[in-house]
Amino acid sequence: MKFNRQSLKSSEKKVKDIDSFIDGADAKNTADVNKDSLKMKRELTKPVSISLTETDRKTLDNQAKRFNLLSYQLELNYDKQLNRSDIVRFISNKLANMSDEDFMEFIIG
């Protein structure tokens, strides 16, 4: 085996590149694991069907439009536009957190 200055420099460079490659891969894997664990914890939404009259559908859609207009007028800097699914989700979560008395009062009116 021939040892010269150029081959030693080349070998040294390869060793350094391997270390940076391994270090880079380790850092990336850690980030990927964190992203994957966040994805696993977040529950995904699925499309479902609900039955509404045309009037009920318009009423529901108007609430989303109402919020989007108010957030614009009040300059809330709310990045997301509210939609039907968001409203249904908010209402169901609110109902789930109500006491039995408040729930019945809300439903019966």
Side-chain angles (χ1 to χ4, degrees), residues 22-36:
I22 292 171
D23 291 342
D26 288 343
K28 187 175 182 181
N29 286 340
T30 303
D32 288 344
V33 168
N34 289 338
K35 287 179 188 175
D36 289 341

Side-chain angles (χ1 to χ4, degrees), residues 5 22 92:
R5 186 169 230 194
I22 292 171
S92 63

Side-chain angles (χ1 to χ4, degrees), residues 47-53 56-57 60 84-85 87-89:
V48 296
S49 176
I50 59 173
S51 299
L52 299 172
T53 64
D56 290 337
R57 185 196 59 77
L60 182 61
R84 288 181 198 153
S85 297
I87 293 172
V88 171
R89 192 176 311 111

Side-chain angles (χ1 to χ4, degrees), residues 2-104:
K2 221 173 168 185
F3 290 105
N4 63 28
R5 186 169 230 194
Q6 188 62 27
S7 67
L8 288 173
K9 281 185 179 182
S10 176
S11 296
E12 185 178 4
K13 184 177 180 185
K14 287 179 183 176
V15 169
K16 287 181 183 177
D17 288 340
I18 289 171
D19 289 339
S20 63
F21 175 78
I22 292 171
D23 291 342
D26 288 343
K28 187 175 182 181
N29 286 340
T30 303
D32 288 344
V33 168
N34 289 338
K35 287 179 188 175
D36 289 341
S37 65
L38 288 175
K39 286 180 186 176
M40 291 174 68
K41 290 179 185 176
R42 194 176 126 230
E43 188 176 3
L44 300 177
T45 60
K46 296 192 306 189
V48 296
S49 176
I50 59 173
S51 299
L52 299 172
T53 64
E54 188 61 24
T55 303
D56 290 337
R57 185 196 59 77
K58 286 180 182 178
T59 302
L60 182 61
D61 288 344
N62 285 340
Q63 301 316 305
K65 291 175 186 175
R66 178 181 176 195
F67 173 81
N68 294 331
L69 177 66
L70 288 171
S71 67
Y72 175 76
Q73 287 176 343
L74 298 172
E75 298 177 5
L76 295 178
N77 296 326
Y78 190 72
D79 294 337
K80 186 176 183 262
Q81 295 286 312
L82 199 66
N83 59 38
R84 288 181 198 153
S85 297
D86 295 327
I87 293 172
V88 171
R89 192 176 311 111
F90 291 145
I91 291 171
S92 63
N93 287 332
K94 183 72 172 175
L95 292 172
N97 291 323
M98 284 183 176
S99 68
D100 291 344
E101 295 82 19
D102 291 339
F103 174 79
M104 291 304 290

